[in-house]
Amino acid sequence: MADAKVIPFDDDRTRGGAVQRSPRRRGAGSRRKGESAVVRDGHQSRESGEVQALPGRAGGADDVPVTREKPEPPQGAAEAQDGGLEQRIAGGLAFLRKRLTGDYEVDDFGYDAELTDQVLMSLLRPVYEKYFRVEVKGIENIPADGGALIVANHSGTLPMDGLMMQVAVHDNHPAGRHLRLLAADLVFMLPVVNELARKLGHTLACAEDASRLLHQGELVGVMPEGFKGLGKPFGDRYKLQRFGRGGFVSTALRAGTPIIPCSIVGAEEIYPMIGNSKTLARLLGFPYFPITPTFPWLGPLGAVPLPTKWTIQFGEPIPTDGYPPEAAEDPMLMFNLTDQVREQIQHTLYKLLVQRRSVFF
């Protein structure tokens, strides 16, 4: 609705803030003292309101009170909201129909892009945004297209850091890139976990799969510490373990793709590992069996991670396309590049820890 406008009166005068009309103009259509004329939709109404100066007159005694009304919401806003809801419902039903009829695609590794975008990422996102409140830095260091190898530290007793790194890349990269993680063989031996990992784009941590993904232009993530980093005691937090034999460097050299160091702070404290029951680990076939201040003492409740505040920083890429093809077989070069990546991650970890004010805030 349009703002109300003032009808000017030539002989109006104000006394003590009230409006009076000259006696010679009074008649059937005259107004009592203290009333104002307002036009709304072509009709006159009598209301009191704020004071606005008459056109051509100075403010003060010649001001007339007018009423300004709030504009109505744009027509069709409610219909647009209803239409958006209908579209979401229609999209959800179409998604379910594809699932039931098998009319969807997965790649050779079992990666289901549609399921990941619409379901799995939606389940992980509240944990990422609300629980761990992840802050991402250096996302511009990840290329917009083409293959690249992201190398990160590994910690936290359970591999939550890999999942959070996936969401960080997917939700923050301008190109919305997907991160394909290389996982240990234990992941693919567990029921349910195996299927979910495949759907999310994880694959076995071997040179063949990594090389194939890189040559396809995919963004690949690897955590060379493996179980040594994931299951280290709380006293060794943020101290990088050995990076294996540098196989990831050899893979990147063969594909000619850059290596992007990634440092993750916050995962070390979600399950403070104060002990390791090696006997139970051997019986269950696990590399370790963690004992934390809450697990196994509190039962299933002890499996809930602590709500620490995370920071994930992607460092500047280390190029590998300038080396000759035979460089992938040079052990000294692989050792030097592996050490360079490791030192860069460790240095960034220390820098982020100095900047961190609190584990939880």
Side-chain angles (χ1 to χ4, degrees), residues 39-112:
V39 174
R40 186 189 304 113
D41 296 336
H43 301 285
Q44 291 184 351
S45 63
R46 300 171 181 177
E47 299 181 5
S48 61
E50 64 182 30
V51 176
Q52 177 174 324
L54 287 172
R57 300 192 181 197
D62 292 334
D63 292 343
V64 177
V66 299
T67 298
R68 295 191 179 275
E69 300 185 354
K70 295 181 179 180
E72 292 182 349
Q75 294 183 356
E79 290 81 356
Q81 292 180 357
D82 293 340
L85 179 60
E86 291 177 358
Q87 290 179 357
R88 289 195 295 269
I89 294 175
L93 293 176
F95 174 78
L96 290 176
R97 184 172 61 251
K98 290 181 180 180
R99 295 287 121 183
L100 294 174
T101 59
D103 186 19
Y104 59 91
E105 296 181 357
V106 297
D107 67 4
D108 295 339
F109 299 93
Y111 172 55
D112 191 332

Side-chain angles (χ1 to χ4, degrees), residues 307-327:
T308 58
K309 176 73 171 63
W310 288 35
T311 301
I312 299 178
Q313 179 164 337
F314 299 96
E316 294 189 5
I318 299 174
T320 63
D321 54 354
Y323 295 96
E326 60 272 13

Side-chain angles (χ1 to χ4, degrees), residues 98-274:
K98 290 181 180 180
R99 295 287 121 183
L100 294 174
T101 59
D103 186 19
Y104 59 91
E105 296 181 357
V106 297
D107 67 4
D108 295 339
F109 299 93
Y111 172 55
D112 191 332
E114 186 181 34
L115 181 67
T116 298
D117 287 340
Q118 298 192 23
V119 179
L120 300 180
M121 284 293 169
S122 298
L123 295 175
L124 292 172
R125 194 167 288 119
V127 181
Y128 172 89
E129 294 179 347
K130 306 299 183 183
Y131 199 77
F132 293 135
R133 296 147 292 148
V134 181
E135 178 185 1
V136 178
K137 299 180 180 181
I139 195 69
E140 67 278 0
N141 290 319
I142 300 177
D145 51 25
L149 184 66
I150 297 180
V151 182
N153 59 305
H154 206 15
S155 62
T157 306
L158 291 181
M160 296 290 294
D161 50 0
L163 298 176
M164 295 301 102
M165 187 167 63
Q166 268 192 291
V167 182
V169 173
H170 181 271
D171 287 5
N172 291 277
H173 196 277
R177 301 202 65 179
H178 292 276
L179 179 63
R180 309 292 295 272
L181 284 176
L182 303 180
D185 53 358
L186 178 62
V187 173
F188 302 103
M189 295 170 59
L190 300 174
V192 182
V193 175
N194 171 30
E195 290 297 325
L196 291 176
R198 290 289 186 187
K199 298 295 185 183
L200 271 168
H202 300 182
T203 188
L204 191 63
C206 63
E208 292 78 10
D209 286 359
S211 178
R212 185 177 173 186
L213 287 171
L214 289 174
H215 279 95
Q216 291 176 0
E218 297 284 355
L219 195 62
V220 180
V222 61
M223 296 173 164
E225 291 178 281
F227 290 120
K228 298 187 300 295
L230 194 63
K232 64 176 176 287
F234 188 66
D236 293 337
R237 60 191 180 280
Y238 299 114
K239 297 177 182 178
L240 294 183
Q241 306 298 301
R242 190 171 63 89
F243 269 23
R245 302 175 182 175
F248 68 91
V249 172
S250 177
T251 302
L253 285 170
R254 287 191 174 92
T257 54
I259 299 174
I260 303 173
C262 176
S263 303
I264 304 174
V265 167
E268 294 274 15
E269 295 89 0
I270 61 173
Y271 295 110
M273 187 170 165
I274 59 176

